[in-house]
Amino acid sequence: MSADAARASDVIELREVTRSFGDVVAVDHVSLGIRQGEFFALLGPSGCGKTTTLRIMAGFERPSGGDIYLRGRRVNDVPPYRRETNLVFQQLALFPHMDVYDNVAFGLRVKRRPAADIAGSVRRVLQLVDLAGYERRRMHELSGGQQQRVAIARALVNEPAVLLLDEPLGALDLKLRLQMQRELKAMQRRSGTTFVYVTHDQGEALAMADRVAVMQLGKIAQLGAPEHIYSRPATRFVAHFIGDTNIIPVTVRDRGADGAAILDANGVRFAATDADMRPGEMRHISLRPEKIRIAAAHAARPDGHGGTVTDVTFLGPLTRYEVSVAEGLRLVVQTQTDSEEHFRKDDRVSLSWPPSAAVVLKD
Amino acid sequence: MLAFIARRRAPLQLLPAFALTAGVFAAAMLLLFSYSAFTFRGGQLTEEVSFLAWQKFFTDPFYFGVVTKTLQLALEVTAAALLIGYPTAYALTKVRSAKFLVAAYIIIFSPLLVSLVVRVYGWLLLLSDNGVINQALLAIGVIAAPIRLIYNETGVVIALVHILLPFMVFPILSVLLQFDHALREAASDLGANRLQTFLRVVLPMSLPGVVAGCQIVFTLAISAFVTPELLGGGKVQVLSRAIWFNVVDVNWPLAAVEAIVLLALALAALALFDLAARSLRAMRPTGSPRPRRDSPGGFIDAFLRIVLFAVLAFVLSPLVFVVINSFNGSAFNSFPPQGFSMQWYQFVLGYAQFREGMVNSLIIASASTLVAVAAGMLAALALTRGGIRGRGILNAFFLSPLVMPRVAIGIAVFILLIRLRVLGTTGSLVLVHAMLSLPFALVLLTASLVNVNRTLEEASMDLGAGPLRTFWSVTLPQIRAGLVVAAVFAFITSFDETEASIFLVRPSNTTLPIQMFLYLEQYQNPTLAALSTLLIAATIILVVVALRFVRGAELARLVARR
Ligand SMILES: Nc1ncnc2c1ncn2[C@@H]1O[C@H](COP(=O)(O)OP(=O)(O)O)[C@@H](O)[C@H]1O
Ligand SMILES: [Mg+2]
């Protein structure tokens, strides 16, 4: 095999792909591989380069540097209309002068498939997206969710190697969005198609994806399974972006007998199982609010840290406390509203957490 | 609060516009219908009801020929304008430099700003036997003898396409500019190449613009008068000319019948094109349009660029050669010019008829602009905020003079003014011109008012400003651009009005374009070139001054829309 050959299991591979617009580097040396049949999410805040990355995969943007492989073939110079990818546009881009059937059949028609084949494929894909019977509807006669499904059907009918989706649920209201999330995931399983899904909504990415790449300023900050990214964030940015967390600056004091590090945050000492730190080093850790146990001061555990409740917010099933533990160290704690004891402002409490809960960050 | 007050005063605010449209336009049209039933016998007009004129029109094969010729000419002009106009509009959407774009817009729309007679005169210079084109072809030896380009249908079609091209380009351009670039990308993503994308997505979606452009061009082409009269050499026998000759012969019943037939043809054409527009499928886009992101190149774009430059040259050339010819040393419009001379300017400035015409035109245009903009402003306020019932019908009524052929309006108003014994007075011309300008003013002012931020008005009243104060210091600044454009449009409409006014003036009290028309029918020397050059210069100054007012708002929006 030539040196160009990509890994066989990856449908799409980006190698050191860069894309600049003038001074703005929208995509900065991104390397990643997307596996056959997986649901892959590109997650990041607005402007971090997700759309540009997706448009490079679709062929609408040419990389300024690096290479892109589709099924092992270098496709840097292949125009969109000769690529086995299909894009579900953020604004859908449905053809308003055509009905549902003509929209879905468009790709097969320009490829000059026989009409009978086209009819069969369109029927099957409309069944898959639950739109059988809507063939002759025009775009403005459909609800937002139905238009969404037409856009997906129009792409899926071409049996692309990868289906690319750019914030496809962004325009929908919350309830419909949750329903479409489930439907999309089901469609992906039924069709067995590889999905690359761009979103700025971390809940959406965690709920749907097999793997997630978190992007920041054109770079990939972390790539992995959703549970992994949630429980072991690599950087302060990822920890903050995925869910609520306490970021605590710490100094490494010592290494315990079991290999755990002893950390110090403004005089508050605790252990962290994460290794690879030298005593004296300054680091940040992430401590998820729901990993912290809160108890009354008189029932304190031996490893508990005393503190005072400074704020209580009722969130329905959950209750959120802010607890001042030491000078300059204030922790957010979240508990199940009905299972735990309740505290009020100015109550004395004791906080504790297992060493595995303190995740040491790279930066 | 403003809306409340507007509602109570709405009928009053509509009064001036209503009086203008009903009193001048509707009354004249009704009179026209009644005159078509009167009798013309032995060179005499009598008020005896006979329908002889109708009978003559529908039995004499001559008139059948005139109607067919009128329709044929309009079809040729529409087809040619579409063939040139579509690629032009398409090429304009590809222009990336904002400066060049503004320049191209101004050039393409410049025929609308320059007097009709000036444009026709420019084509005479270009197309005549000793004109620019024939002399150039002779010089390079392509032809041995001059070919006939004017005083036949060819010249009339060329000049009409030149005059009507903006009406084709503009609707197509506005549809193409609203085109969602994401749809083009979607087609490409689904496997369509550039040609397939154009044929299956862009072209079908731009059809509403094509239909609208053809509708306007066709309707204006069937009623054209000055161009077929001056460039047709008597050989292009269309309805408008038949009307003119019958009026001169005092055969008003027959002229009325012809005007009514012309009107019927115009309305039928409008209805047919409307039907075509409605049969096009609803084309509401599902998302908000996104501007283009990529920049394709290639030979298609190169081709479009050549088309654009050729069209710009086509549009500009008659005006350019008018200016060149104004310094011609020879008296025969010869090309190339023989020597340099300023004598034609001296002649123009000394020619009393032109001076009087100019003064008359300025008075009439200023006064009618004032009337039209004031009546239009009041009516626009009432229509947008008055909460009036039957707004659609009222609006259609105010706009109806737009669809009537100018020649038909001319003969109808002519009869009305004769009956009222005010034919040829300055006041009557002011009112007629105001009636003709009112639709433009109303449309432009309504569009501006709809865009006004009502919250600002509410804020102003909350801070204690009364309705008039609020209108003056909050509303008016927001519609300044629309007001300036409306005034410029009204002024140019009046200053350039020929095809209706030619029936309405007296030799002793004539406007400038009609003096020019009469001069052109008799003489062929560069005098008109000098006068036209002065008019072009004045138009440029007017436009530049107007642009100063409009710049920030409208122009930026025009360019930013892309
Ligand atoms: N065509 C373009 N021209 C100039 N800048 C662009 C263009 N496309 C994207 N950018 C810039 O690149 C960065 C990333 O954009 P994008 O990929 O759209 O981000 P995201 O989809 O994550 O919100 C942004 O700063 C954006 O302004
Ligand atoms: Mg985006």
Side-chain angles (χ1 to χ4, degrees), chain B residues 24 53 56 122 157 160 216 246 286 318 330 333 382 455 510 526 539 557 561:
Chain B
V24 182
K56 182 171 171 62
V157 170
L160 279 178
I216 305 173
N246 282 319
T286 45
S330 140
N333 289 334
T455 319
T510 305
T539 309
R557 208 174 304 154
R561 271 243 309 271

Side-chain angles (χ1 to χ4, degrees), chain B residues 304-329:
Chain B
L304 283 172
R305 204 163 306 141
I306 293 170
V307 168
L308 185 55
F309 277 108
V311 169
L312 293 182
F314 167 73
V315 171
L316 273 185
S317 53
L319 306 183
V320 169
F321 284 104
V322 164
V323 175
I324 293 176
N325 195 47
S326 71
F327 302 105
N328 200 339

Side-chain angles (χ1 to χ4, degrees), chain A residues 50-51 90 166-167:
Chain A
K50 308 177 297 288
T51 295
Q90 191 162 7
D166 190 358
E167 312 226 10

Side-chain angles (χ1 to χ4, degrees), chain B residues 248-266:
Chain B
V248 173
D249 291 346
V250 205
N251 192 346
W252 297 351
L254 192 52
V257 169
E258 286 157 351
I260 292 167
V261 169
L262 186 55
L263 179 59
L265 288 179

Side-chain angles (χ1 to χ4, degrees), chain A residues 31-350:
Chain A
S31 296
L32 55 82
I34 287 157
R35 297 174 193 148
Q36 176 65 49
E38 78 173 329
F39 196 123
F40 188 94
L42 266 178
L43 173 66
S46 175
C48 72
K50 308 177 297 288
T51 295
T52 308
T53 308
L54 205 70
R55 288 169 61 83
I56 288 172
M57 293 180 183
F60 290 113
E61 301 286 356
R62 218 176 260 230
S64 339
D67 292 308
I68 169 163
Y69 296 88
L70 184 62
R71 285 193 164 143
R73 188 166 72 101
R74 186 173 172 279
V75 291
N76 285 34
D77 305 316
V78 177
Y81 52 88
R82 298 221 186 83
R83 281 195 196 194
E84 301 165 85
T85 54
N86 282 116
L87 181 57
V88 176
F89 288 78
Q90 191 162 7
Q91 302 292 349
L92 302 187
L94 297 171
F95 301 125
H97 60 300
M98 302 179 187
D99 59 21
V100 170
Y101 185 93
D102 291 341
N103 261 284
V104 175
F106 186 94
L108 301 175
R109 281 186 179 147
V110 297
K111 284 173 210 125
R112 304 229 154 75
R113 295 283 173 73
D117 291 7
I118 294 178
S121 301
V122 173
R123 184 160 29 81
R124 274 194 301 280
V125 80
L126 285 181
Q127 234 140 37
L128 180 79
V129 301
D130 207 13
L131 276 179
Y134 285 74
E135 287 80 0
R136 292 298 155 215
R137 292 281 191 99
R138 303 258 197 67
M139 294 310 109
H140 65 268
E141 297 167 337
L142 299 174
S143 71
Q146 288 167 335
Q147 292 181 352
Q148 191 68 63
R149 290 198 287 253
V150 176
I152 291 163
R154 186 178 70 174
L156 270 183
V157 77
N158 303 287
E159 296 175 5
V162 189
L163 185 70
L164 309 167
L165 304 102
D166 190 358
E167 312 226 10
L169 308 184
L172 305 183
D173 60 53
L174 180 65
K175 200 162 161 226
L176 193 54
R177 196 154 71 220
L178 295 178
Q179 181 196 334
M180 283 301 299
Q181 282 179 15
R182 284 191 295 276
E183 288 188 19
L184 262 179
K185 184 71 191 165
M187 279 179 223
Q188 191 256 340
R189 282 212 200 90
R190 266 180 281 161
S191 65
T193 310
T194 312
F195 274 36
V196 177
Y197 189 99
V198 159
T199 180
H200 66 269
D201 179 338
Q202 43 111 1
E204 205 164 281
L206 298 188
M208 299 166 84
D210 299 317
R211 288 197 302 153
V212 178
V214 184
M215 286 189 76
Q216 178 194 13
L217 297 175
K219 291 194 170 75
I220 298 217
Q222 192 173 6
L223 194 162
E227 313 79 48
H228 181 77
I229 289 191
Y230 183 79
S231 58
R232 318 288 325 156
T235 64
R236 273 186 277 170
F237 169 78
V238 175
H240 252 317
F241 194 70
I242 314 272
D244 207 4
T245 196
N246 295 291
I247 303 276
I248 309 168
V250 294
T251 314
V252 183
R253 284 280 172 249
D254 205 353
R255 297 199 72 95
D258 51 357
I262 304 299
L263 308 176
D264 181 317
N266 289 13
V268 177
R269 291 191 173 219
F270 54 95
T273 41
D274 223 302
D276 193 27
M277 285 179 300
R278 271 164 285 113
E281 211 179 347
M282 312 265 286
R283 297 293 281 267
H284 286 90
I285 64 147
S286 158
L287 184 57
R288 297 279 181 205
E290 74 274 14
K291 298 273 188 188
I292 304 177
R293 289 201 38 197
I294 182 167
H298 57 81
R301 292 159 52 110
D303 61 344
H305 307 285
T308 312
V309 175
T310 59
D311 191 41
V312 185
T313 314
F314 173 64
L315 301 172
L318 302 175
T319 303
R320 183 178 183 278
Y321 297 102
E322 273 182 45
V323 179
S324 171
V325 181
E327 184 70 25
L329 181 61
R330 183 170 291 191
L331 294 183
V332 173
V333 181
Q334 222 165 52
T335 65
Q336 301 284 332
T337 297
D338 55 1
S339 67
E340 308 271 333
E341 270 182 280
H342 291 256
F343 304 97
R344 275 178 305 193
K345 193 166 181 307
D346 298 327
D347 281 358
R348 291 285 304 163
V349 293
S350 165

Side-chain angles (χ1 to χ4, degrees), chain B residues 4 63 103 196 339 359 430:
Chain B
F4 171 71
Y63 293 102
Q196 286 170 317
V359 171
V430 168

Side-chain angles (χ1 to χ4, degrees), chain B residues 9 63 76 189 280 374 414 453 467 516 552:
Chain B
R9 291 183 185 166
Y63 293 102
E76 287 167 4
D189 183 71
L280 293 170
F414 165 74
N453 185 345
M516 292 170 72

